[in-house]
Amino acid sequence: DQQVKQNSPSLSVQEGRISILNCDYTNSMFDYFLWYKKYPAEGPTFLISISSIKDKNEDGRFTVFLNKSAKHLSLHIVPSQPGDSAVYFCAASDERSGYALNFGKGTSLLVTP
Amino acid sequence: DAGITQSPRHKVTETGTPVTLRCHQTENHRYMYWYRQDPGHGLRLIHYSYGVKDTDKGEVSDGYSVSRSKTEDFLLTLESATSSQTSVYFCAISDPSGGPNTGELFFGEGSRLTVL
């Protein structure tokens, strides 16, 4: 059973508007939650993370919100830019399995001019 | 960029042949991982290593074996490749004890394997 779920395979947003990507998880033992960005033919690159003891983390245009009671996190991108178009993966870290990341299936974001 | 090199980057092989993918790191990170990425599945963990000669299975380990004889190298072997192992394989590294832990893994560029 997948422990990290991204239920929206794709999202289209206009340049300058907010992009909101959502993620749900089932395992309450996860200690870190991360977002990765991936372009075709490249490896995933780290975007932002949040500890399970926090509820918000901000880095420039990117903010991640964590709602532990709902087992839900979201990534906000404001303002969205065409260069943000990529596949975004939500991931959760489990210390019990060597800090390996459990990934969602990804959301393909398209930012249109 | 993290010093991670995967080889080969592209390989086409036939069903039943053995295949070895290599991941080489220059960061001296303790943990190394092999993932595969398939459409509709995201990235799934195959095996990981928490030190030299210390490895463990991930979510999709059947049909794969790994070895780590040196800190810098992590090998993924398909003893007898099948068409279902056609995929893009990513190596990743991390060192949670090396500083503030954000949970981050650093990924290589990927190795595209096609099994005919």
Side-chain angles (χ1 to χ4, degrees):
Chain A
D1 250 4
Q2 196 156 20
Q3 299 184 71
V4 177
K5 298 178 184 178
Q6 293 177 258
N7 293 320
S8 299
S10 62
L11 175 67
S12 183
V13 172
Q14 275 193 320
E15 181 179 8
R17 308 292 291 266
I18 184 171
S19 295
I20 301 176
L21 293 88
N22 293 301
C23 179
D24 298 297
Y25 63 95
T26 58
N27 187 344
S28 57
M29 299 299 291
F30 289 140
D31 43 11
Y32 282 92
F33 300 90
L34 303 88
W35 286 93
Y36 276 79
K37 180 177 180 179
K38 187 180 182 305
Y39 294 114
E42 294 183 10
T45 55
F46 172 74
L47 198 56
I48 191 169
S49 70
I50 186 168
S51 164
S52 60
I53 62 173
K54 296 190 175 180
D55 53 21
K56 178 182 175 182
N57 188 26
E58 227 172 323
D59 185 0
R61 296 186 297 114
F62 304 93
T63 303
V64 57
F65 295 92
L66 177 62
N67 181 335
K68 288 186 289 295
S69 60
K71 292 192 173 68
H72 177 84
L73 66 153
S74 61
L75 174 68
H76 292 211
I77 306 174
V78 184
S80 301
Q81 299 173 354
D84 295 330
S85 298
V87 177
Y88 289 78
F89 289 99
C90 173
S93 176
D94 187 350
E95 181 180 347
R96 299 168 304 162
S97 59
Y99 303 95
L101 293 181
N102 288 267
F103 283 88
K105 295 182 179 181
T107 296
S108 179
L109 174 66
L110 176 64
V111 181
T112 57
Chain B
D1 285 349
I4 308 170
T5 305
Q6 292 186 227
S7 59
R9 295 290 313 280
H10 301 271
K11 185 171 181 67
V12 179
T13 191
E14 293 189 349
T15 298
T17 59
V19 175
T20 295
L21 305 180
R22 178 183 183 235
C23 179
H24 178 78
Q25 60 143 331
T26 58
E27 305 296 322
N28 201 37
H29 280 5
R30 178 183 171 193
Y31 290 84
M32 298 186 75
Y33 312 83
W34 277 108
Y35 284 86
R36 61 178 287 176
Q37 186 194 8
D38 304 288
H41 289 279
L43 287 95
R44 293 180 292 174
L45 181 68
I46 305 171
H47 282 279
Y48 67 96
S49 169
Y50 48 97
V52 173
K53 291 188 170 51
D54 293 323
T55 65
D56 207 346
K57 295 179 179 180
E59 176 190 358
V60 290
S61 60
D62 286 350
Y64 302 95
S65 62
V66 290
S67 65
R68 191 164 178 204
S69 58
K70 299 184 290 185
T71 299
E72 56 266 36
D73 289 326
F74 193 32
L75 304 181
L76 177 70
T77 297
L78 292 67
E79 299 291 347
S80 178
T82 67
S83 59
S84 65
Q85 294 176 310
T86 292
S87 187
V88 181
Y89 292 86
F90 289 99
C91 173
I93 65 175
S94 77
D95 192 356
S97 64
N101 186 14
T102 62
E104 180 181 358
L105 303 191
F106 301 92
F107 282 83
E109 294 289 306
S111 295
R112 180 174 293 275
L113 175 67
T114 301
V115 183
L116 302 176

